[in-house]
Amino acid sequence: MYRHLFSLPGTRAFTAGNLIARLPAGMFSVSAVVMIAGSRGSYALAGAVTATGLAATALAGPWIARLTDRHGQSRTAVPATVVAVLGAVVLLLCVHYGAPDWTLFAAYAATATTPNTGGMSRARWAHLLAGDAEALHTANSFEQAADELCFMLGPALAAFLCGTFFPEAGTLVGAVLLMAGMLIFTAQRSTEPPPSPTPRGGPPLRVPGIPPLLACFVATGSVFGSMEVATLAYANATGHRAVGGAVLALQAAGSCAAGLLYGRLKPTGAPELRLRWCLLAMTALMTLPLLATTAFGSLPALAAALLVAGMATAPTMVTAMALLQHRTPEGRLNEGMSLAVTGLLMGIACGSAAAGWTTDHASPTTAFWVPVAAATTALLLGMQGRTTP
């Protein structure tokens, strides 16, 4: 099935460019934290700078995506990427030459213009595979697996570059990869969806059924953010801080494998029903890390639990993205998927904060209740509304 996808003209080239451009998404925040904390001696400042960039991305993302829908990917993505790359380079220079702290916030906020590379790739598949629901399901599954792979490899690559060469190396390489990948991606004009200067229907936020789905994305993002903080805190508490990132990467590995397998299955039934089953599975599997830490109290048990728990996240995201594509008005697909990313970012921020507070006021083990609560919330939100055939 995957062989059929990449037999279509131009798909290999735009996928290669998109993967190169998508990898820095998992590099920039880690690189910024290492670079700023190492230079200024303050993790609080580094965290505040990256949080500012996250908030700016949540605000700018839908706007950039709306321009992409109206004017086309190549006309919008390249200049937006240039601004983002310049922001990353200015941040690097400000840190290296000891510029005032406020310049770090301004420079990192400029990187918020980075286009939603995953969303643009999904939009191309939706354009190429219009009318073939089974093939589009496979393509969406591949894209989710690619997301997981990039967010698994990105932080590891950033940490290696910053630690092996110089603190600014991760940011510099990330900026180069982003620009090069975007130029390769946008050069594939034959697969680019046509622009929609006058899109049909209203903004996605006003379409019935989309706001509850976006709320589900926020809750799912909270699962990701809280699990990350709880895992790192637990690894630190057990005296294995250095391997915390590797243990956490197992969740992404499990999700990546499940996403590729899920893409080989033929979707059946209403998409809302499929989403509910996926959310139910995610809620059940998110209890495994909690059980591993409370019953066994060992990092290897947690690692195994994360590998299995991660297998529920990709199918959930694939199904939710497919449902969002189905509900989004014609000509507004990039905007709709960008809103989903905004919801995920909001959820990650909230989940991280909640798990951090729980860790400080209770224990790292107790913090594993937060992803369980977030997954349950996502399930309850997914149970709302009627199904469509």
Side-chain angles (χ1 to χ4, degrees), residues 88-361:
V89 172
V90 170
L91 174 67
L92 183 156
L93 294 175
C94 288
V95 172
H96 184 76
Y97 290 104
D101 289 350
W102 67 266
T103 62
L104 309 185
F105 290 91
Y108 199 70
T111 64
T113 62
T114 303
N116 178 8
T117 51
M120 290 193 300
S121 188
R122 289 176 173 90
R124 292 201 178 207
W125 287 119
H127 168 64
L128 294 172
L129 303 173
D132 191 343
E134 186 174 346
L136 184 57
H137 167 75
T138 303
N140 283 333
S141 298
F142 169 80
E143 290 298 327
Q144 187 59 39
D147 277 341
E148 301 293 349
L149 182 63
C150 289
F151 278 99
M152 182 171 58
L153 297 179
L157 177 60
F160 170 77
L161 291 171
C162 294
T164 304
F165 299 100
F166 48 92
E168 299 88 355
T171 300
L172 181 61
V173 172
V176 172
L177 290 175
L178 176 60
M179 194 72 252
M182 192 59 68
L183 289 175
I184 296 172
F185 175 77
T186 55
Q188 315 310 313
R189 299 294 184 90
S190 64
T191 57
E192 180 178 345
S196 302
T198 54
R200 300 178 183 178
L205 280 174
R206 298 181 182 178
V207 176
I210 287 186
L213 185 57
L214 294 178
C216 190
F217 276 107
V218 174
T220 304
S222 297
V223 173
F224 301 154
S226 58
M227 187 64 78
E228 178 178 352
V229 171
T231 300
L232 295 176
Y234 185 82
N236 186 40
T238 55
H240 299 89
R241 181 178 182 179
V243 299
V247 171
L248 189 63
L250 289 174
Q251 182 182 2
S255 182
C256 180
L260 292 174
L261 178 61
Y262 189 62
R264 298 181 63 86
L265 303 178
K266 183 178 181 179
T268 57
E272 291 88 349
L273 289 176
R274 296 201 306 271
L275 179 59
R276 291 171 187 175
W277 281 111
C278 289
L279 290 170
L280 180 61
M282 183 174 71
T283 302
L285 292 182
M286 284 304 150
T287 62
L288 294 180
L290 176 63
L291 293 174
T293 53
T294 54
F296 299 98
S298 71
L299 199 59
L302 174 61
L306 286 172
L307 180 64
V308 177
M311 294 179 181
T313 58
T316 300
M317 289 296 299
V318 170
T319 308
M321 281 291 188
L323 185 56
L324 181 64
Q325 290 174 355
H326 176 72
R327 292 178 177 176
T328 300
E330 183 179 350
R332 293 185 180 270
L333 189 55
N334 283 291
E335 182 180 355
M337 287 188 288
S338 181
L339 288 171
V341 173
T342 296
L344 286 170
L345 292 176
M346 291 174 57
I348 289 171
C350 293
S352 298
W357 186 93
T358 306
T359 297
D360 290 341
H361 292 79

